[in-house]
Amino acid sequence: MNESQRIATSYLNTILADFGAANSSAKSTVRFTHGFPPVSQTKGTDIHLSLIGAIPSAANALLAARMLELRGGPAQEIEIDLRRSHNYIDPDIGMTPCIWGQEIPVDALIGNPFLRNIFETKDGRHVILSAVYIELVYKWTAFLRCSALESDIRATVKQWDSKVLEAAAAEAGMPMAVVQSEETWAANPHGQHMAKLPIVPIEKRTDAPPKPLSPSPSRPLEGLKVLCCTHAIAGPSSGRTLAEHGASVLQIMFTHGFEHASVYAGANLGCASARLNFHKQEDREHLWTLIQDADVWVDSYREGAIAKFGFSDDAMFARNPSLIISHVRCYGTTGPWARKPGFDMQGSASSGMLAHCGDGLANPQWPPEMVVNDYTTGYFGALRIQSALLQRAQYGGGYVVSPSLTGTAMAIMKHFKTTPTNMPANLTDDALPPESVEGPSGWGYLKTLKPLPNMSKTPQKYDPIFLAQIGSSPPVFPGDEDKWDKDKIQPRKKACTKTDIEAPFLAKMSSLAELSMKYFIPN
């Protein structure tokens, strides 16, 4: 075992311990191969991308292997190539996923003045205003009462005090964070709250009897049904990770919901994709039938967005006491900021990561590739779900797990900074691109990243679904398609769409400008 492999093994054990999975009688093992590439090849000067890419996926593969053993399957060896692991922070680091040889559109990036910018406030602090969807561009410009030109936004934000802007944005429900250092975040009440928690908190909520896993599966999670109502990256990639190991994963999107093509294509591999309109009673009733049949529920919308339709934790546990519920949030589900919205960028800003990657609070900078928490949160979420499945099989219960983008960012800052102790000198292995997987999909002929772990008995794969077109699947779990009556649900009239969606959006736009005027104090 070389020094890189020794370091990676030590970090894997640390993360497994945080998830209560350090000790096991199972025989499956993880073996790291080769060594870390130099940071000059991975852009990992400040944070250790090789470790961040390797450890969560290795831990997931190991728990899946243990699950297979518990179900009567063989032990296996899992190999992780450290020359490739840095690619798994974001699919675009080492290759460009493509359809018929063409890159997948990156529409989120085109002309968006908020996406990659860090804005300075009147008091010299820096803030991140996220608008990863076009509706948020509309909302931010309504709130700020300025145009969508970057120069106008900078000039307007420069007139705000950071604390006042933070308070106003919080009341408005807008995703925004003031850039913190590790020290200022440690002094923040919510930072103090999160520091006491594991990376992904878990709570047993019911006393349902044990639910044993069926014996002799061909894949570790075969037969388990995962219902996702998620968007962006962190939530869907939890489902994707479980699908890699054989779970039947159904992704539900709102009928009029939108997702960026490049985001969807990376985070939803292996999952069926259907649409339901939660404003319709028959769609809600159908969702309840899915919840009753599910082993796992994953959602990643802001707090209350789904519960307002009746899908609260208590209601879901009443229908399915053995359910494992995963709420993916920016700041977790408890503490002062539990209802505060945000994306990957807010997690990086709040945790101190931007200050660490730049020159402190005076000149914060994005980490490499900007997005580092999203996929890692997905891996961590799937890891906690797997640990909950093992607990449920042995001890019973229904569980709530709470992965968060900020919790992941804090874990990266705690465990995965690049330091002389975790980056050996005289590295000899060059960085390699990820291995790829390709074939026909619902989008056309797709080429994308192959999962990093190499499992000796149950290789990870996206089967029977490679990549479904958004909304192209019937709203049933994969394998149950023959049970669906295509005439069961009828479309809602267009006039209802105006009532359900357009009118509330326009009212929100109007209220944002009014709310900002309550807070804004001009020079």
Side-chain angles (χ1 to χ4, degrees), residues 92-170:
D92 288 316
I93 288 180
M95 69 171 290
T96 301
C98 61
I99 296 170
W100 294 117
Q102 296 292 331
E103 63 271 22
I104 299 168
V106 287
D107 39 7
L109 305 178
I110 307 301
N112 189 326
F114 294 96
L115 197 61
R116 294 186 179 274
N117 285 317
I118 301 173
F119 299 97
E120 187 175 2
T121 57
K122 182 170 63 175
D123 54 338
R125 296 296 296 272
H126 293 84
V127 295
I128 307 299
L129 315 179
S130 281
V132 298
Y133 297 104
I134 189 64
E135 67 177 66
L136 286 171
V137 175
Y138 297 150
K139 289 179 178 179
W140 269 119
T141 52
F143 176 87
L144 295 170
R145 290 174 288 131
C146 69
S147 78
L149 289 173
E150 181 185 335
S151 57
D152 283 357
I153 296 167
R154 288 195 180 280
T156 302
V157 172
K158 187 71 173 175
Q159 298 179 61
W160 283 80
D161 178 86
S162 61
K163 290 184 178 179
V164 176
L165 180 57
E166 183 177 45

Side-chain angles (χ1 to χ4, degrees), residues 9-340:
T9 300
S10 174
Y11 276 75
L12 174 61
N13 291 334
T14 297
I15 295 303
L16 288 172
D18 192 282
F19 283 79
N23 300 312
S24 172
S25 59
K27 305 300 182 183
S28 294
T29 58
V30 172
R31 185 171 74 90
F32 295 97
T33 65
H34 304 285
F36 301 133
V39 295
S40 60
Q41 297 181 16
T42 65
K43 303 180 183 179
T45 304
D46 299 302
I47 54 176
H48 203 310
L49 298 189
S50 294
L51 281 173
I52 299 170
I55 302 306
S57 58
N60 267 288
L62 182 60
L63 259 66
R66 291 177 181 176
M67 196 97 64
L68 185 70
E69 288 188 61
L70 182 65
R71 303 175 75 176
Q76 56 188 307
E77 185 174 88
I78 301 154
E79 290 188 351
I80 303 289
D81 189 339
L82 295 174
R83 299 170 301 176
R84 304 183 192 273
S85 58
H86 65 284
N87 296 290
Y88 289 82
I89 308 302
D90 185 303
D92 288 316
I93 288 180
M95 69 171 290
T96 301
C98 61
I99 296 170
W100 294 117
Q102 296 292 331
E103 63 271 22
I104 299 168
V106 287
D107 39 7
L109 305 178
I110 307 301
N112 189 326
F114 294 96
L115 197 61
R116 294 186 179 274
N117 285 317
I118 301 173
F119 299 97
E120 187 175 2
T121 57
K122 182 170 63 175
D123 54 338
R125 296 296 296 272
H126 293 84
V127 295
I128 307 299
L129 315 179
S130 281
V132 298
Y133 297 104
I134 189 64
E135 67 177 66
L136 286 171
V137 175
Y138 297 150
K139 289 179 178 179
W140 269 119
T141 52
F143 176 87
L144 295 170
R145 290 174 288 131
C146 69
S147 78
L149 289 173
E150 181 185 335
S151 57
D152 283 357
I153 296 167
R154 288 195 180 280
T156 302
V157 172
K158 187 71 173 175
Q159 298 179 61
W160 283 80
D161 178 86
S162 61
K163 290 184 178 179
V164 176
L165 180 57
E166 183 177 45
E171 183 175 341
M174 297 298 289
M176 173 264 184
V178 178
V179 174
Q180 307 285 346
S181 65
E182 289 182 89
E183 293 74 22
T184 60
W185 183 237
N188 180 287
H190 195 74
Q192 293 172 348
H193 172 77
M194 293 194 71
K196 300 173 185 176
L197 303 175
I199 296 172
V200 179
I202 181 171
E203 179 186 4
K204 185 179 180 182
R205 292 282 296 273
T206 77
D207 293 319
K211 189 173 181 180
L213 298 162
S214 59
S216 305
S218 59
R219 299 172 69 187
L221 303 186
E222 183 179 283
L224 292 168
K225 296 180 177 180
V226 180
L227 183 59
C228 296
C229 189
T230 58
H231 71 145
I233 296 174
S237 59
S238 280
R240 182 199 71 177
T241 303
L242 299 172
E244 290 172 2
H245 295 290
S248 294
V249 182
L250 173 62
Q251 170 69 257
I252 297 292
M253 183 178 285
F254 294 127
T255 296
H256 298 282
F258 167 80
E259 191 54 83
H260 300 289
S262 58
V263 168
Y264 177 87
N268 290 271
L269 295 163
C271 306
S273 174
R275 292 186 185 271
L276 290 175
N277 189 333
F278 289 8
H279 293 280
K280 294 166 57 180
Q281 181 176 346
E282 60 266 41
D283 285 32
R284 294 194 300 272
E285 290 174 352
H286 181 68
L287 185 59
W288 278 120
T289 66
L290 293 170
I291 290 170
Q292 288 173 225
D293 194 30
D295 293 284
V296 177
W297 162 278
V298 184
D299 68 61
S300 65
Y301 290 89
R302 67 178 63 196
E303 192 68 25
I306 296 174
K308 70 182 180 183
F309 292 102
F311 301 99
S312 66
D313 291 357
D314 289 344
M316 286 195 280
F317 281 129
R319 301 281 190 114
N320 185 346
S322 297
L323 190 64
I324 295 167
I325 296 173
S326 177
H327 296 308
V328 184
R329 301 288 185 267
C330 184
Y331 294 102
T333 57
T334 59
W337 287 7
R339 299 188 69 85
K340 190 172 182 179

Side-chain angles (χ1 to χ4, degrees), residues 300-459:
S300 65
Y301 290 89
R302 67 178 63 196
E303 192 68 25
I306 296 174
K308 70 182 180 183
F309 292 102
F311 301 99
S312 66
D313 291 357
D314 289 344
M316 286 195 280
F317 281 129
R319 301 281 190 114
N320 185 346
S322 297
L323 190 64
I324 295 167
I325 296 173
S326 177
H327 296 308
V328 184
R329 301 288 185 267
C330 184
Y331 294 102
T333 57
T334 59
W337 287 7
R339 299 188 69 85
K340 190 172 182 179
F343 295 91
D344 181 294
M345 306 80 167
Q346 276 68 43
S348 293
S350 297
S351 65
M353 189 183 296
L354 266 63
H356 172 70
C357 291
D359 298 318
L361 293 178
N363 184 30
Q365 297 293 323
W366 294 113
E369 302 301 320
M370 191 175 80
V371 174
V372 299
N373 305 311
D374 264 323
Y375 282 100
T376 309
T377 300
Y379 290 133
F380 280 149
L383 183 60
R384 182 59 86 188
I385 288 168
Q386 288 203 77
S387 70
L389 285 166
L390 288 167
Q391 289 185 51
R392 187 184 72 173
Q394 295 178 283
Y395 309 114
Y399 297 84
V400 173
V401 304
S402 304
S404 72
L405 295 159
T406 305
T408 294
M410 292 172 68
I412 290 172
M413 293 297 289
K414 179 179 179 179
H415 298 294
F416 297 120
K417 291 178 184 174
T418 301
T419 68
T421 58
N422 64 23
M423 185 57 74
N426 303 317
L427 296 169
T428 59
D429 285 292
D430 288 327
L432 293 181
E435 294 184 289
S436 63
V437 58
E438 58 187 276
S441 79
W443 287 46
Y445 195 86
L446 173 67
K447 182 177 181 180
T448 190
L449 286 74
K450 178 183 176 183
L452 176 64
N454 185 357
M455 302 180 71
S456 61
K457 302 295 184 182
T458 57

